[in-house]
Amino acid sequence: MAEADRIMLFTERAKAASAEVLGPAPKSGLAEEIGRALSAGRHPRAVAHPSLLTIHPWLEFASSDCDLVRHADLGIIAARYGIARTGTCVYEPSNSAERLIALLPPTCLILLRTADIVADIGALAAAFDDRHAGVAQSLFITGPSRTGDIEHVLTLGMQGPGRLVIALWHEDT
Amino acid sequence: MKRRVDDALGSPVLRHALADFSARYVKMRKAAFGGLDFEAIRDEVVAVKERAISERERLQREFAEKLEAKGGRVHRADDSAEANQIIRGILEEHGARKVVKSKSITSEEIRLNKALEGAGLEVTETDLGEWIVQLAGHSPSHMVIPAIHMDRNQIAALFSEKLGEEVPPDIGGMVKLARRHLRRALTEADAGITGANIAVAAAGTLIIVTNEGNGGLATSLPRIHIALVGTDKLLPDWPSAMSILRALPPSATGQRMSSYVSFLTGPALEKQHVILLDNGRRRMAESPDFRQALRCLRCGACLNVCPVYRIIGGQAFSHVYMGGIGTILTAFIHDRDAACELAKLCSGCRACATVCPAGIDIPFLIEKVAGLAAEENGLGPIEWLLLRGVMSRRRAYHALMTSLGKAGGILADKDGMLKIGAGALPSADFRAIPVVARESYRSSLSGRDAREEKGERIIFFTGCLADFVYPETARAAERLLSSVGFETAMPTGQGCCGLPAHHLGDAGTARRQAAEAVKSLSAEGAEPIVTVCPTCLHAIRSLWPELLAGTELESEARRIAARAVGISSFLIARADKLRFAPAKQKITYHDSCHVKNMGEGEELAARRLLTIAGYELVETGENSCCGFGGTFSVNQPGISEKMLSARLDSLSGTGASCAATDCPGCVLQIRGGMARRSVRFLARHTVEYLAEALVDSDD
């Protein structure tokens, strides 16, 4: 499957799983894209995975402090992979606080580089075999937290984020 | 069990919820597997799980070694008592008082909550459905949706009572309220207890699949993580884990992927303990028959399509593992006697086998469980009389049917239904029962010698109902076969196919019947064997080779299985030779379970034939089971009645005044139900409608 097809399929499937998908935008235009999408909701207390500060210098906040994460309105993480067929983001936190950035705040923003989108879950198996340590604490995220436990009515935000925004980006050309 | 079944039958909330979910699930599952080859995925799961079962001891050692190298600790428990003791010990050692749990059916299996609460610990389930049933003091009624038996009003009343505030029956509001309460419990907990959907031996990694995200939270917020993992969850490596992740969410909830899949390797915070639980799994692995049940992914797909489960729900099973697979697991994990009782709830429709992503032949194993009961306790008096006294002696059985046919005139009402019923067997009076025909199909053949007829020959295996009760079905089939150039030969040595006896656990009688039938058919050459009964077709194809494996008749049984074909499939391949005077009648079609679940397209062939014959075919919204299931409708009249009632409503709702089906058993059930409703609605075998519209070649 060509990269353009993977991006298209990923976008379709992630939206079908109730995620919002932005982009793809060039890396330099990503901040503006995200700013527009999130301006509707105010997120004064945002936390981001520390590694994002070096990748996206426009981010000014980062924390691995559990207490900060617990009280944040917005958690920002970067996905290591995307899975097109299921609209899934694969996040690889290295500790529990980093995992909680994706789970505790009511809104989660995931940055995903389009070149990292694979076609199917099977494509990950080989990558996982090569990188045992990296995948040890992986978290697959497909849409926001949900439940259908009462009368099968789909309700978002049961335990984790009720809003999931995925920002697709690519290197500037 | 009867009381629990009666309670369930008396709950319209439950029945509505289950029917609604079941209908939605079928569509969602289909969409989630869309674009994928389900059979290929299933084959992969079977291969992966079989390998894991064969290597289970090595995988346990490897998993423990890898996890302990990452700072976790692995314990092994032989049974529930030992597992509970280990978990209590860990909590005590770390001074834990407050415990949160992420949904774990394995923890239900060992009754962990009871053990922990008995030790004075505060336990909170964090999955919404589990929390609801915990507050209500109920047991879960579905493996994936535990509170499916309660509606919003009941849950609002429960929340109001238990949480000390007035809670309106607004689902969004109740979910927010639950989030608040559960978030507090998660942040205050000392320990999080989870199960695991997969344990990857090569990496020492646990994989937990949830939609709410509570699996990730219960393992990341409390300082101690305890995972209770059945040894059947161990897999060798990442590729095998990915194979399971591809099959599990579509099968469980009809999603392409669940919202959160958490990988955990070693402690997230302070400590991680993993308890590998055996609890009967080793015994299951060592049983040649039951070993396949260890492939179960606990997805609940078999429940979601089970026509009996959708009437009575999971609580009627009274054990943690419910439905078809529950009957099998209960026999090894909990209580063999109870499992033998649960086996009687199976209608034998085989819907579960069509959707099981692990390729487990659930109906076959349920019959094996029924067989264990028959071996240990013997057959009940009625079953003994019916199976051993009558049906296992073909000549006596046929003589009895012939005598009943002669007495039919006295016993029948004006519609050909048995006059007695309401007085003699009130619970079975939900449908009228037909009398045996005055002249059976086989009697009508006497004096004819099929071998002298012209044309190619087929062997006709009528089945008991088309032979003795509905000979008009057999005659219609004969006429159609003749029209396409085949003469029918009915070996008179054919008796019952053996499936009813096998379903009741009497494998000995079934084997004798299969052997007699195989001998009778093997004397007839190599022609196709055509049947008008899908249950007989299933017996010929699958049951006879299985029952006669290892005997001198095995190879003959396999040859006969390869020759067998359903009447509609046989005719559609020769439809160009059929001439019809267009019937121009509105008709609906009822899918017999054994037709649609055999996956051979017999129902599609029947629909095409009816259309070719000029019938205006109208479909019912949902093609549910009519509740016949042979002896099932006699043993479980309450459930059968509810199934029939729903089916009659949907058939009548089409506006057609008649239904075709390819199963004489379904004809009996639907016709009998409509007769009790005093509705003019005719149910007949497809071949009768086709024969009615047929223009004979010499006309």
Side-chain angles (χ1 to χ4, degrees):
Chain A
M1 194 188 282
E3 185 177 329
D5 293 333
R6 291 200 298 271
I7 295 168
M8 198 155 58
L9 184 62
F10 175 88
T11 304
E12 178 207 316
R13 296 290 161 87
K15 284 180 176 173
S18 309
E20 298 165 43
V21 182
L22 311 178
K27 190 174 177 181
S28 56
L30 192 58
E32 197 183 335
E33 181 91 19
I34 292 168
R36 263 201 308 273
L38 295 182
S39 63
R42 289 170 55 80
H43 301 283
R45 289 172 297 181
V47 285
H49 188 282
S51 67
L52 288 174
L53 292 181
T54 53
I55 305 172
H56 302 282
W58 46 270
L59 279 172
E60 292 172 353
F61 33 75
S63 179
S64 289
D65 182 299
C66 262
D67 276 341
L68 283 179
V69 174
R70 204 168 288 173
H71 296 106
D73 305 298
L74 170 68
I76 308 175
I77 59 171
R80 177 67 183 82
Y81 301 103
I83 305 172
R85 205 194 71 75
T86 53
T88 300
C89 292
V90 179
Y91 172 46
E92 295 182 352
S94 54
N95 57 46
S96 94
E98 289 177 10
R99 178 191 298 270
L100 290 171
I101 296 173
L103 292 170
L104 281 176
T107 300
C108 178
L109 169 65
I110 305 179
L111 310 184
L112 172 61
R113 192 169 64 163
T114 53
D116 294 328
I117 298 175
V118 299
D120 185 63
I121 193 169
L124 282 184
F128 274 30
D129 257 348
D130 292 341
R131 307 174 44 250
H132 263 329
V135 301
Q137 308 294 340
S138 288
L139 181 64
F140 287 15
I141 303 170
T142 311
S145 163
R146 69 187 60 218
T147 181
D149 274 346
I150 305 179
E151 295 186 8
H152 330 129
V153 175
L154 174 67
T155 313
L156 303 180
M158 174 53 226
Q159 310 258 2
R163 186 181 181 201
L164 180 75
V165 183
I166 302 168
L168 298 178
W169 64 277
H170 53 78
E171 299 292 350
D172 293 324
T173 50
Chain B
M1 184 173 79
K2 186 175 180 314
R3 188 185 52 76
R4 291 192 307 270
V5 169
D6 288 345
D7 285 350
L9 290 174
S11 168
V13 169
L14 175 70
R15 208 160 44 256
H16 174 74
L18 292 170
D20 179 51
F21 173 70
S22 178
R24 266 203 264 177
Y25 167 80
V26 170
K27 289 180 192 155
M28 288 167 67
R29 175 184 174 276
K30 191 176 171 192
F33 275 120
L36 297 174
D37 181 347
F38 172 67
E39 291 304 331
I41 290 173
R42 169 146 72 181
D43 289 347
E44 206 173 299
V45 171
V46 171
V48 159
K49 293 293 270 187
E50 279 297 323
R51 181 183 158 203
I53 296 166
S54 298
E55 298 179 3
R56 62 192 183 281
E57 292 299 335
R58 182 187 72 74
L59 295 183
Q60 289 178 50
R61 285 195 301 275
E62 186 181 3
F63 178 81
E65 185 188 309
K66 290 286 162 59
L67 183 66
E68 293 191 345
K70 298 280 181 188
R73 174 138 183 243
V74 175
H75 311 253
R76 294 196 193 202
D78 271 341
D79 56 24
S80 301
E82 192 177 0
N84 283 324
Q85 195 181 8
I86 292 169
I87 294 171
R88 275 201 309 264
I90 294 166
L91 294 170
E92 197 176 315
E93 180 191 335
H94 296 296
R97 303 307 308 161
K98 291 184 175 182
V99 174
V100 284
K101 285 179 66 206
S102 174
K103 183 161 63 187
S104 156
I105 198 160
T106 315
S107 77
E108 305 275 353
E109 175 186 322
I110 66 165
R111 313 222 187 280
L112 178 63
N113 285 16
K114 196 174 165 201
L116 297 185
E117 283 162 357
L121 290 149
E122 187 182 319
V123 182
T124 307
E125 294 284 354
T126 60
D127 172 85
L128 175 61
E130 287 283 350
W131 189 53
I132 292 168
V133 295
Q134 185 188 27
L135 289 176
H138 295 172
S139 54
S141 52
H142 190 282
M143 287 201 271
V144 179
I145 311 157
I148 197 170
H149 58 287
M150 297 175 76
D151 68 10
R152 70 183 76 189
N153 295 310
Q154 292 167 320
I155 294 167
L158 174 74
F159 281 4
S160 300
E161 181 200 335
K162 300 288 180 181
L163 306 179
E165 58 182 293
E166 193 58 38
V167 179
D170 161 57
I171 293 177
M174 287 193 282
V175 167
K176 274 188 191 146
L177 179 70
R179 177 186 167 108
R180 217 167 52 236
H181 277 267
L182 294 174
R183 180 62 68 87
R184 192 184 313 130
L186 282 157
T187 22
E188 290 175 358
D190 303 301
I193 300 181
T194 69
N197 299 85
I198 298 167
V200 184
T205 299
L206 299 172
I207 301 179
I208 300 172
V209 181
T210 69
N211 267 318
E212 297 181 8
N214 54 323
L217 292 171
T219 53
S220 302
L221 284 167
R223 59 193 165 90
I224 303 154
H225 172 213
I226 301 172
L228 177 68
V229 182
T231 52
D232 52 311
K233 300 293 174 60
L234 280 157
L235 294 176
D237 47 28
W238 294 120
S240 53
M242 297 303 158
S243 299
I244 302 303
L245 282 178
R246 194 183 279 121
L248 181 60
S251 300
T253 50
Q255 293 168 276
R256 291 189 183 94
M257 184 60 72
S258 304
S259 295
Y260 297 101
V261 181
S262 300
F263 290 56
L264 304 154
T265 312
L269 291 170
E270 290 178 22
K271 300 284 177 193
Q272 184 186 49
H273 294 264
V274 176
I275 294 95
L276 294 179
L277 176 71
D278 182 73
N279 210 26
R281 288 164 175 80
R282 196 178 304 124
R283 272 194 309 128
M284 218 183 290
E286 287 163 0
S287 159
D289 285 328
F290 289 96
R291 166 191 163 101
Q292 60 172 301
L294 280 178
R295 295 184 213 142
C296 176
L297 308 184
R298 310 288 192 269
C299 65
C302 53
L303 300 182
N304 300 338
V305 299
C306 173
V308 175
Y309 175 83
R310 68 184 285 176
I311 297 285
I312 60 171
Q315 290 173 328
F317 287 82
S318 85
H319 283 76
V320 173
Y321 295 113
M322 51 194 78
I325 191 66
T327 301
I328 298 155
L329 297 175
T330 299
F332 282 84
I333 286 171
H334 284 128
D335 181 342
R336 181 174 285 200
D337 289 343
C340 294
E341 273 299 294
L342 298 179
K344 293 178 184 164
L345 290 172
C346 176
S347 71
C349 74
R350 300 194 59 79
C352 50
T354 65
V355 297
C356 175
I360 303 170
D361 192 344
I362 297 169
F364 175 73
L365 293 184
I366 292 173
E367 285 171 351
K368 287 280 176 190
V369 172
L372 296 175
E375 267 174 36
E376 286 176 15
N377 311 320
L379 292 167
I382 294 172
E383 283 92 349
W384 190 92
L385 184 67
L386 184 70
L387 297 175
R388 303 270 170 91
V390 180
M391 292 184 75
S392 67
R393 302 168 186 195
R394 188 185 59 78
R395 285 175 198 281
Y397 165 47
H398 288 170
L400 175 69
M401 296 303 275
T402 305
S403 305
L404 287 172
K406 284 178 182 159
I410 307 163
L411 301 172
D413 66 12
K414 62 181 174 46
D415 296 318
M417 297 293 186
L418 207 56
K419 281 184 206 163
I420 56 162
L425 256 179
S427 64
D429 198 44
F430 62 94
R431 61 150 191 235
I433 301 286
V435 294
V436 175
R438 189 179 297 274
E439 184 181 42
S440 66
Y441 177 67
R442 68 177 58 222
S443 304
S444 71
L445 296 177
S446 60
R448 285 166 52 183
D449 186 348
R451 286 168 194 273
E452 290 177 7
E453 301 280 358
K454 290 175 184 171
E456 287 184 70
R457 208 172 71 119
I458 61 99
I459 307 301
F460 193 18
F461 195 92
T462 58
C464 299
L465 280 173
D467 189 358
F468 292 105
V469 180
Y470 302 125
E472 60 273 25
T473 301
R475 282 195 291 272
E478 184 186 332
R479 202 172 141 225
L480 289 159
L481 289 164
S482 172
S483 263
V484 295
F486 287 84
E487 296 302 334
T488 51
M490 181 196 186
T492 48
Q494 67 176 260
C496 175
C497 66
L499 203 121
H502 195 257
H503 191 65
L504 289 170
D506 188 1
T509 297
R511 191 171 293 113
R512 276 194 298 281
Q513 290 172 322
E516 190 169 3
V518 165
K519 284 177 195 163
S520 146
L521 293 172
S522 62
E524 295 288 338
E527 295 90 344
I529 299 167
V530 179
T531 176
V532 287
C533 176
T535 303
C536 295
L537 182 62
H538 169 59
I540 299 171
R541 285 272 180 79
S542 310
L543 186 63
W544 294 359
E546 169 71 34
L547 286 172
L548 299 173
T551 72
E552 58 183 11
L553 292 172
E554 180 179 359
S555 56
E556 193 54 45
R558 293 197 185 283
R559 272 195 292 277
I560 285 171
R563 288 163 55 198
V565 61
I567 183 79
S568 290
S569 297
F570 190 82
L571 289 174
I572 197 69
R574 295 155 183 85
D576 57 326
K577 294 181 183 166
L578 291 166
R579 287 176 53 219
F580 294 106
K584 292 182 182 167
Q585 186 183 2
K586 193 190 268 191
I587 194 170
T588 187
Y589 185 80
H590 169 74
D591 286 285
S592 139
C593 292
H594 281 170
V595 166
K596 69 179 173 190
N597 296 330
M598 288 281 278
E600 295 189 3
E602 184 82 350
E603 74 281 22
L604 302 176
R607 283 179 168 88
R608 280 182 57 205
L609 285 166
L610 288 164
T611 308
I612 292 168
Y615 288 96
E616 184 196 340
L617 196 60
V618 284
E619 297 287 348
T620 58
E622 193 194 350
N623 238 320
S624 59
C625 175
C626 67
F628 180 61
T631 49
F632 168 80
S633 63
V634 179
N635 285 329
Q636 303 294 343
I639 303 172
S640 178
E641 179 181 6
K642 288 282 190 293
M643 291 161 78
L644 177 60
S645 176
R647 189 60 184 139
L648 295 185
D649 288 345
S650 62
L651 289 169
S652 306
T654 60
S657 59
C658 54
T661 177
D662 275 41
C663 175
C666 298
V667 169
L668 185 152
Q669 179 87 340
I670 295 168
R671 206 184 274 185
M674 288 295 186
R676 279 290 175 268
R677 286 188 175 190
S678 302
V679 174
R680 292 188 66 80
F681 187 98
L682 188 61
R684 292 193 295 176
H685 197 288
T686 302
V687 293
E688 292 176 58
Y689 292 104
L690 296 177
E692 206 163 76
L694 188 71
V695 177
D696 285 323
S697 48
D698 54 354
D699 283 359

